[in-house]
Amino acid sequence: MNLDAFIITKDDRHQSEYTARHDRRYEYISGFTGSEATVVITNEEAALWTDGRYFIQAERQLSCDWSLIRMGQPGEPSVTEWLVQALPSKTVVGADPNLVSNSQWNKWESKLKEHNITLKEAFENPVDRIWNSTTGRPPYPEFQAYVLDLRYAGKKWKDKVNDLRKKLNSIGADAMIVTALDEIAWLLNIRGYDIPYNPLVLAYVIVSRDDINMYTNVTKLSTEVELHLKARNCFSDSCVRLNDYETLIPDLRTKVQKWKKVLLPAHCVMSPGASRAIYSAVPSRKRMPRQSPIIFMKARKNQVEADGMRKAHIRDAAALCDFLAHFEESIAAGKEWDEVNVSITLDQFRREQLLSKGPSFPTIAGFGPNGAAPHYIPTESQNVLKIYSNSTLVIDSGGQYLDGTTDVTRTIHLGTPTDFEREAYTRVLIGSINLASLVFPREVPMSSIDVLARTSLWQVGLTYLHGTGHGIGSFLVVHESPIRVIFTEGNLTFHEGYFFSDEPGYYQEGKFGIRLENIVEVIKAHPK
């Protein structure tokens, strides 16, 4: 391919956080199974970048052929800094423009250009050359999409589209390309099975003043969904025209000729925005790079969604309490448990609950040193530990329900904790309570409240490397923009109807972990 290096991202074509097994190219090439990774391969070297949640996990999973780059740590190079060190000038780096957000592409391209290195669009992905059905590449799921009933959605999809059109009209946009899967699911009140742990449908949507076009695998849309979207004999602005998934780019090049300005989603907190390939299909003079208005519409739960979130959390809490009681009773009766047993059994307890649609992410059950890896996921192929009474067990889990999404963490100890474990747990608990009980003026930035969760730890020289809070969807994704609580970034503010996590922790590498997490809701306060 005449390339000196190739960048492999974790993304699918929609820049999703969780991807179908079919799209996990970084996992196939490296063996690393965490949800955050960027890989660079040259003719001589291979390197993988990941964040503080996965440092310990990556050290275990990567072979000695790999260099692990710990993102955000002092002295660690960025992707472009590493490439500049590894390659001479006048070399060519490739990346798949379908799998890189435009904002990320521009950053890479600008930095590499300073050192006379070219970033080239490689529409034929080299990983796809060697990873196919004959070499074990899993297909996409075949299950059909379905309609989310109005009693859970709370608002008709046509009303949501009308609200979106008003916002587009107010900023002078003739159309918008909707690329994020959770935005499409929310906008059209549909759900599916294309992404593990996320009830999403692989699709793009174009909303203009005159029509709505959806690009997807049409065979996955049931008659119920077609009727819901008014897709049959669609000739108006209030029905959805169905198109084949692969025709988006050529169709976009044709449609854009009649538009003056097209809103192309830009980076917003945890949402990377549209891909480089989609930006390239729209002439630069017609592009309107903006944060997707759907992100902010979706984050403010309507009354039905808010009620559903509260009810889902009550049922979810009952499932977790039932599991913990069963777990402690069986331990007392002499049964042996390991981390995989905890994960599987807790998932089963959740599935017994009304309206359950399975877990919202892979259940994290880390005992002792494994609990010190914040996002350790026990599998049979890893260093699974038996659970004894000499350390902590961190259980981070969540459920998908038709009326809401949950995410909760508890840390337990089956024996007598050390004084240090007690103090660390207490300081984490203090931080959790401080944040959850906050009353604040509406103009306070999200980033500024992070110190409340950390101060008790900071006072004794302790900290943790992950954020304190993230937004959460309503039967959608477990990490939802625009909410992110971390002191290092962000100046957005809270609104009524926002739901987000409160999850301070402490991790002593090789020893134990502690994390406590609840979902909190932003409501209007009535102080004296």
Side-chain angles (χ1 to χ4, degrees), residues 367-369 389-393 411-429 457 462 506 508 510-515:
F367 176 73
S389 59
N390 60 344
S391 192
T392 62
L393 172 63
T411 302
I412 63 175
H413 198 300
L414 295 170
T416 303
T418 66
D419 289 343
F420 179 53
E421 288 170 340
R422 286 179 189 274
E423 179 168 355
Y425 184 98
T426 302
R427 290 183 179 277
V428 169
L429 178 59
L457 289 164
L462 306 180
Y506 173 71
Q508 187 176 17
K511 298 291 185 181
F512 68 92
I514 293 168
R515 182 163 66 256

Side-chain angles (χ1 to χ4, degrees), residues 1 6 8 22 24-31 39 41-42 66 124-138:
M1 298 177 71
F6 192 79
I8 303 167
H22 180 87
R24 294 180 192 166
R25 295 167 180 84
Y26 73 93
E27 183 177 321
Y28 168 76
I29 213 75
S30 70
V39 166
I41 296 178
T42 72
W66 289 83
E124 184 182 13
N125 195 306
V127 179
D128 295 347
R129 285 189 176 188
I130 60 172
W131 189 36
N132 48 52
S133 57
T134 60
T135 56
R137 188 171 191 176

Side-chain angles (χ1 to χ4, degrees), residues 150-305:
L150 191 61
R151 60 183 160 160
Y152 305 123
K155 192 171 188 175
K156 295 179 180 179
W157 70 263
K158 289 182 183 178
D159 294 333
K160 294 180 182 180
V161 170
N162 287 337
D163 290 344
L164 176 61
R165 281 178 167 147
K166 289 175 185 176
K167 291 181 181 295
L168 296 178
N169 189 54
S170 69
I171 59 175
D174 300 301
M176 174 184 174
I177 319 301
V178 189
T179 62
L181 301 183
D182 62 324
E183 295 180 33
I184 291 168
W186 178 85
L187 183 68
L188 298 179
N189 290 345
I190 60 173
R191 299 294 190 269
Y193 298 95
D194 288 342
I195 304 296
Y197 309 103
N198 294 253
L200 307 176
V201 182
L202 279 173
Y204 296 100
V205 168
I206 300 178
V207 178
S208 73
R209 294 172 180 173
D210 306 320
D211 55 22
I212 309 164
N213 280 272
M214 183 179 189
Y215 299 82
T216 190
N217 180 348
V218 180
T219 63
K220 288 188 179 182
L221 301 185
S222 64
T223 301
E224 178 197 27
V225 172
E226 290 187 14
L227 293 174
H228 167 73
L229 298 176
K230 309 286 191 261
R232 298 180 177 180
N233 301 315
C234 173
F235 300 106
S236 74
D237 63 356
S238 57
C239 58
V240 179
R241 298 177 186 176
L242 302 179
N243 307 270
D244 184 78
Y245 182 79
E246 297 294 342
T247 63
L248 171 76
I249 297 295
D251 212 11
L252 182 55
R253 291 192 177 112
T254 302
K255 287 180 177 296
V256 76
Q257 296 176 33
K258 65 179 180 180
W259 298 326
K260 292 181 179 179
K261 287 292 181 181
V262 184
L263 192 153
L264 299 176
H267 178 269
C268 177
V269 191
M270 294 174 289
S271 302
S275 70
R276 171 69 173 190
I278 287 176
Y279 268 74
S280 296
V282 177
S284 58
R285 69 183 185 281
K286 295 190 174 187
R287 297 175 194 162
M288 182 184 283
R290 291 281 185 97
Q291 293 178 338
S292 168
I294 300 173
I295 289 174
F296 300 90
M297 296 164 66
K298 173 167 56 68
R300 296 191 72 169
K301 310 295 185 277
N302 62 48
Q303 191 58 55
V304 171
E305 290 172 322

Side-chain angles (χ1 to χ4, degrees), residues 54-75:
Y54 298 112
F55 292 164
I56 299 171
Q57 180 179 334
E59 287 171 356
R60 291 175 179 167
Q61 291 184 329
L62 294 177
S63 73
C64 57
D65 299 310
W66 289 83
S67 298
L68 172 61
I69 315 297
R70 297 166 178 80
M71 293 164 56
Q73 297 302 292

Side-chain angles (χ1 to χ4, degrees), residues 398-412:
Q400 292 285 13
Y401 302 88
L402 288 173
D403 54 352
T405 301
T406 71
D407 183 5
V408 56
T409 307
R410 292 293 181 266
T411 302
I412 63 175

